[in-house]
Amino acid sequence: MKRIVWMGIGVAIGVIAFRKVSQAQSALGPEGLNRTVGRLADGVYDFADAVRAGMRERETDLRTALGVESAELVRR
């Protein structure tokens, strides 16, 4: 009975190690690098978009508080 338990533990450790090695290999290949760079670019784009939206909102608040024309009328 002890041998079966130890064999099961060994198989589980082997499967976990195999999966970790496979994940590491896929992350190091060209496809993994492309995915990583794509995710990074998407994150930067989303952050910049959020900053722009915040700037527009704050500008609208300031223009309203100062009684200045809206931004769309000034830019046209």
Side-chain angles (χ1 to χ4, degrees):
M1 188 69 178
K2 287 183 184 181
R3 289 183 181 179
I4 293 174
V5 171
W6 285 110
M7 187 171 71
I9 291 171
V11 168
I13 291 172
V15 168
I16 291 170
F18 178 76
R19 291 183 70 191
K20 292 290 183 180
V21 168
S22 296
Q23 287 174 352
Q25 284 178 341
S26 68
L28 294 177
E31 295 86 15
L33 182 62
N34 286 342
R35 276 193 305 270
T36 303
V37 170
R39 288 180 192 150
L40 180 64
D42 290 343
V44 169
Y45 179 76
D46 291 342
F47 176 74
D49 195 33
V51 168
R52 281 189 218 105
M55 287 172 39
R56 279 191 297 271
E57 182 180 335
R58 182 65 179 148
E59 183 179 1
T60 302
D61 292 345
L62 290 172
R63 287 184 178 278
T64 301
L66 295 173
V68 180
E69 292 182 33
S70 70
E72 278 67 36
L73 294 177
V74 172
R75 289 186 184 145
R76 290 182 186 177

